[in-house]
Amino acid sequence: MKLLGLFRHAKSDWHDAKARDFDRGLNARGRKGAALMGRHIVEHGVKWEQIIASPAVRVAETIELAAKAAGREVPVIWDRRIYLASSVILTEVLHDLPDSVNKAMMVGHNPGLEDLIFDLVPDDGTCPLRAKVEDKFPTAAYAVLECDIDSWADLHDGCAKLVYLMRPRDLDPELGPEPADW
């Protein structure tokens, strides 16, 4: 059994129209959400052995603010393949994890993270959390999947169960969707 955490970057800043997508940082709401979720992830209690993340600025800032709020130092493996990747590419990245790691968290972007949940968790009507992801896997959302595998190389469609989901708005209603989010 492997445990996979998925953490989407917090709300990014769209005010600088000239900035490359990769270079966009977080806005004020994103900074608040990242800190809130960082504290929550630690309180949730999973001790992540490996964190792999997109090197995009908004992801790096999310991790930095989450770790600072949680009072933790977080060693991260930055992997450019995660930046705006499809679920197929994300699965390939996870296949590369050493089997000595039993609890890995990936920090990245949608739609890849959301699609990864849809691919790994069967749509059999038994998972109410999957239905919430179908509604939306918003910025700074955190999900935990139990993967019925012994080796990361064996990660495949339908092998996981979504056992935990937390969105910033679940902890602070002010971080819920704004009309522009829909």
Side-chain angles (χ1 to χ4, degrees):
M1 179 74 63
K2 300 289 186 187
L3 206 60
L4 174 61
L6 300 175
F7 184 28
R8 185 176 171 202
H9 68 78
K11 196 80 162 156
S12 61
D13 187 358
W14 286 90
H15 285 100
D16 183 358
K18 293 182 181 180
R20 289 185 329 154
D21 179 74
F22 187 88
D23 297 326
R24 280 190 293 115
L26 300 180
N27 65 18
R29 188 171 172 220
R31 290 189 290 279
K32 182 178 178 182
L36 177 70
M37 293 306 291
R39 288 187 297 274
H40 179 76
I41 289 169
V42 168
E43 291 168 2
H44 179 241
V46 176
K47 293 187 180 2
W48 298 105
E49 300 164 359
Q50 183 67 68
I51 297 175
I52 53 177
S54 162
V57 171
R58 59 191 177 274
V59 173
E61 287 182 2
T62 297
I63 293 170
E64 178 185 344
L65 290 165
K68 183 178 178 183
R72 301 280 168 98
E73 287 188 32
V74 180
V76 178
I77 294 176
W78 304 101
D79 192 322
R80 180 104 183 174
R81 294 177 295 170
I82 298 170
Y83 174 65
L84 301 181
S86 69
S87 63
V88 172
I89 299 299
L90 297 178
T91 300
E92 289 175 7
V93 171
L94 292 165
H95 283 168
D96 291 343
L97 287 171
D99 289 333
S100 58
V101 173
N102 290 307
K103 299 173 186 171
M105 180 189 290
M106 179 178 277
V107 188
H109 313 267
N110 258 2
L113 291 179
E114 183 175 284
D115 289 344
L116 185 61
I117 293 170
F118 296 149
D119 289 347
L120 297 178
V121 179
D123 186 12
D124 58 9
T126 64
C127 182
L129 295 178
R130 190 181 192 283
K132 285 186 177 183
V133 174
E134 288 173 4
D135 178 44
K136 189 171 186 182
F137 192 65
T139 52
Y142 166 68
V144 179
L145 291 78
E146 288 179 351
C147 304
D148 189 16
I149 55 172
D150 294 320
S151 170
W152 290 105
D154 295 333
L155 189 71
H156 63 276
D157 288 0
C159 75
K161 180 180 179 184
L162 181 59
V163 296
Y164 190 79
L165 175 66
M166 186 59 63
R167 302 164 299 184
R169 67 180 174 212
D170 298 327
L171 299 170
D172 181 349
E174 289 185 14
L175 292 174
E178 296 176 325
D181 289 349
W182 297 96

